[in-house]
Amino acid sequence: MNVSKRKAQRMVNEVRRMYSTKYDLLIVGGGIMGASTAHWISQKTRGQGFKVGVVEPDPSYATSATTLSVGGLRQQFSLHENVQIGIFARDFMSGYPHSLLLDKSQELHPDLPDVRFQRHGYLFLASEAGQHILEDNHRVQEECGARTRLLNARQLADTFKWLNTDGVVSGCYGGEDEGWFDPWALLQAFKLQGILQGVDYICGSVKAFQIRENKIYGASINLTAQDASTNKTDDTATGADTIQVDCDNVLIAAGGDAGKVGRLAGMGEGTGILATPIPIEKRKRYVYVPHCPSGPGMDCPLVIDPTGVYFRREGLGGNYLCGQSPTEEEEPANTNLDEVDMDWFMEAVWPIMAHRAPAFETLKVKTAWAGNYDYNVWDQNGIIGRHPQLGNVFMSCGFSGHGIQQGPAVGRAMSELILDGKFTNIDLSRFGFERLLRNEKVLERNIV
């Protein structure tokens, strides 16, 4: 064994000794859904000896959908449940960091980051063909208590002087209740607070589950060595050591890999209910960062054009984030995050931006990145709840681009379901796996 492999093995052995051999809840996936659920459960079970383990292969989260998102937060959805989730997120952000605590006498981690919630709103624009949808959605938002406002074309032009309202008949604006935040900071806040309460973060990947009588009772985990000085994993150690843990419950929160993890549990591999897989796969999305000193200023919300092109301001230096989700026919052919299609920006995104805000005619793209949605090919909404046959298996995955903002509420809801057997704060049973078995789609109109 060479020096580098011996070093990697030592790191694996050191890490191995840190982990428990039994978990009341084993969470597969340490992104926003896994971290949020682990945090809320550790809050609710404080002092009860309830042990939570989170399996995450890459603690740098370099390719995680959570950290590569644009970090939007809104209440502008068409489903009551999604609006309620957005209202929870609004209140959570308004009260952060103390909103992390169920009991205000509890301790906050001393190194919690600033999530930098920017209250500049979302602005959904509608053409004549889409106006009735915007109005219907606004009615749902009002029923749920969201403070969104409908503006006609003249009001839009008066409010946003830089906006070209050609082809637009109305817009829905969320004001200071909506905006964007730092996704990395929010993830770290949940992770740090969970660790403070005793959550184990296991650097590795689940290799196999042990299943008996429709329950998972154990998991084999391939450890990955982590260099604490760089926070990077060492692939030479992958598979070098495997730990076996027992578990009473399992939560699949593995994002775009949730379908693969589900197959380890038999979903999509068996008969009857187990013939149905978790219908989630990775779908690549591009985010572009143009620079335009003369572009919209501090009054620029996150704007969604009727075409689906979106843009928002990023900081105070004349930078913006923008993009557009493709149609099914236009989906990128691969999920390689090193490849960004600049032609997509030139042909599909920039012309719409320049039409909607003429100052963007002179923009220059500084950089761009690609990230993967955990895309639910069934209906693009999260799969939330208990598996109907595997009695101790829960799922929280498939949020198709709005997971980062839904993480605080969905994690709280999952903690209720796992510990109390029912949803209390927000009833999310509509998003259960059973809808796949009923051949029923729960469709959200406001997917960006």
Side-chain angles (χ1 to χ4, degrees):
M1 184 181 293
N2 61 37
V3 174
S4 63
K5 287 189 176 181
R6 284 200 299 270
K7 179 183 177 182
Q9 184 62 57
R10 283 199 302 272
M11 287 192 291
V12 168
N13 291 339
E14 290 172 5
V15 171
R16 189 173 189 268
R17 288 190 288 269
M18 296 168 54
Y19 301 140
S20 174
T21 58
K22 170 70 183 296
Y23 291 98
D24 296 280
L25 174 65
L26 185 71
I27 300 175
V28 185
I32 189 62
M33 292 300 163
S36 174
T37 305
H39 157 74
W40 290 118
I41 282 187
S42 68
Q43 286 281 304
K44 291 171 72 72
T45 60
R46 182 182 179 214
Q48 299 176 22
F50 191 97
K51 192 63 179 174
V52 179
V54 180
V55 183
E56 170 55 47
D58 180 16
S60 73
Y61 297 95
T63 61
S64 170
T66 294
T67 55
L68 293 175
S69 74
V70 298
L73 187 158
R74 58 185 164 109
Q75 291 87 58
Q76 292 192 60
F77 289 94
S78 65
L79 296 175
H80 287 81
E81 292 86 351
N82 282 336
V83 178
Q84 290 170 328
I85 287 172
I87 290 173
F88 184 99
R90 174 198 73 191
D91 295 342
F92 176 88
M93 287 295 184
S94 298
Y96 180 87
H98 295 285
S99 54
L100 285 163
L101 303 179
L102 294 175
D103 180 348
K104 301 310 179 185
S105 67
Q106 292 176 333
E107 179 184 1
L108 284 170
H109 194 284
D111 298 322
L112 290 176
D114 182 359
V115 296
R116 294 182 290 181
F117 181 32
Q118 307 293 305
R119 298 173 175 272
H120 297 290
Y122 267 65
L123 177 62
F124 277 85
L125 301 176
S127 63
E128 186 173 354
Q131 184 177 12
H132 70 286
I133 295 176
L134 196 73
E135 292 174 347
D136 288 346
N137 294 349
H138 179 251
R139 193 155 37 246
V140 170
Q141 293 152 24
E142 283 193 317
E143 289 172 0
C144 294
R147 298 185 286 257
T148 56
R149 293 186 292 134
L150 282 179
L151 304 174
N152 60 34
R154 181 174 180 177
Q155 290 171 317
L156 287 170
D158 289 343
T159 305
F160 306 103
K161 303 296 186 183
W162 45 266
L163 182 69
N164 175 14
T165 59
D166 182 34
V168 169
V169 297
S170 63
C172 193
Y173 179 51
E176 66 178 17
D177 288 344
E178 300 180 322
W180 50 90
F181 58 91
D182 184 338
W184 170 261
L186 182 64
L187 173 62
Q188 291 303 304
F190 280 121
K191 183 175 180 179
L192 289 171
Q193 196 64 32
I195 291 172
L196 182 68
Q197 297 288 351
V199 175
D200 282 352
Y201 272 79
I202 304 169
C203 186
S205 303
V206 172
K207 176 183 178 182
F209 289 118
Q210 287 76 54
I211 304 173
R212 182 174 57 235
E213 296 178 352
N214 288 325
K215 286 190 175 183
I216 293 177
Y217 66 89
S220 302
I221 302 171
N222 279 349
L223 294 180
T224 305
Q226 180 186 357
D227 186 339
S229 64
T230 63
N231 200 36
K232 292 183 178 179
T233 56
D234 184 347
D235 291 337
T236 62
T238 301
D241 203 358
T242 300
I243 61 171
Q244 181 66 40
V245 300
D246 295 333
C247 51
D248 289 338
N249 298 280
V250 171
L251 171 63
I252 299 175
D257 291 320
K260 295 179 181 178
V261 176
R263 288 191 177 276
L264 293 178
M267 300 180 207
E269 301 291 329
T271 59
I273 293 175
L274 288 177
T276 301
I278 298 177
I280 294 169
E281 60 187 43
K282 293 180 179 179
R283 294 282 181 92
K284 187 158 72 172
R285 297 290 181 265
Y286 308 115
V287 180
Y288 305 96
V289 188
H291 180 65
C292 184
S294 61
M298 290 290 288
D299 65 338
C300 181
L302 197 156
V303 179
I304 301 95
D305 187 78
T307 62
V309 168
Y310 71 86
F311 61 86
R312 72 163 172 85
R313 187 176 51 78
E314 173 69 357
L316 302 175
N319 296 321
Y320 299 82
L321 300 184
C322 60
Q324 182 189 34
S325 292
T327 64
E328 288 287 336
E329 295 75 22
E330 297 167 327
E331 284 286 352
N334 63 66
T335 56
N336 181 359
L337 300 187
D338 294 329
E339 299 176 4
V340 176
D341 187 350
M342 294 307 299
D343 289 341
W344 179 256
F345 174 79
M346 298 297 292
E347 297 168 6
V349 179
W350 189 10
I352 302 300
M353 289 179 64
H355 174 70
R356 196 54 63 205
F360 285 143
E361 291 178 0
T362 61
L363 63 75
K364 302 291 182 183
V365 176
K366 294 176 62 177
T367 187
W369 75 82
N372 283 322
Y373 277 10
D374 55 326
Y375 192 83
N376 179 355
V377 299
W378 179 247
D379 60 11
Q380 293 82 63
N381 264 306
I383 296 176
I384 306 169
R386 186 194 300 267
H387 190 270
Q389 182 163 330
L390 300 171
N392 66 341
V393 175
F394 300 82
M395 294 157 288
S396 181
C397 47
F399 293 88
S400 306
H402 46 273
I404 182 64
Q405 62 181 295
Q406 295 196 324
V410 174
R412 175 74 175 268
M414 289 307 302
S415 73
E416 296 165 354
L417 182 64
I418 292 169
L419 295 175
D420 307 326
K422 62 180 180 179
F423 296 116
T424 303
N425 195 52
I426 303 174
D427 185 0
L428 301 181
S429 55
R430 190 177 184 184
F431 295 131
F433 191 86
E434 290 83 357
R435 75 183 192 269
L436 307 177
L437 306 178
R438 295 192 299 264
N439 200 34
E440 173 187 306
K441 294 186 177 183
V442 179
L443 297 173
E444 169 59 56
R445 282 170 159 176
N446 277 3
I447 296 292
V448 179

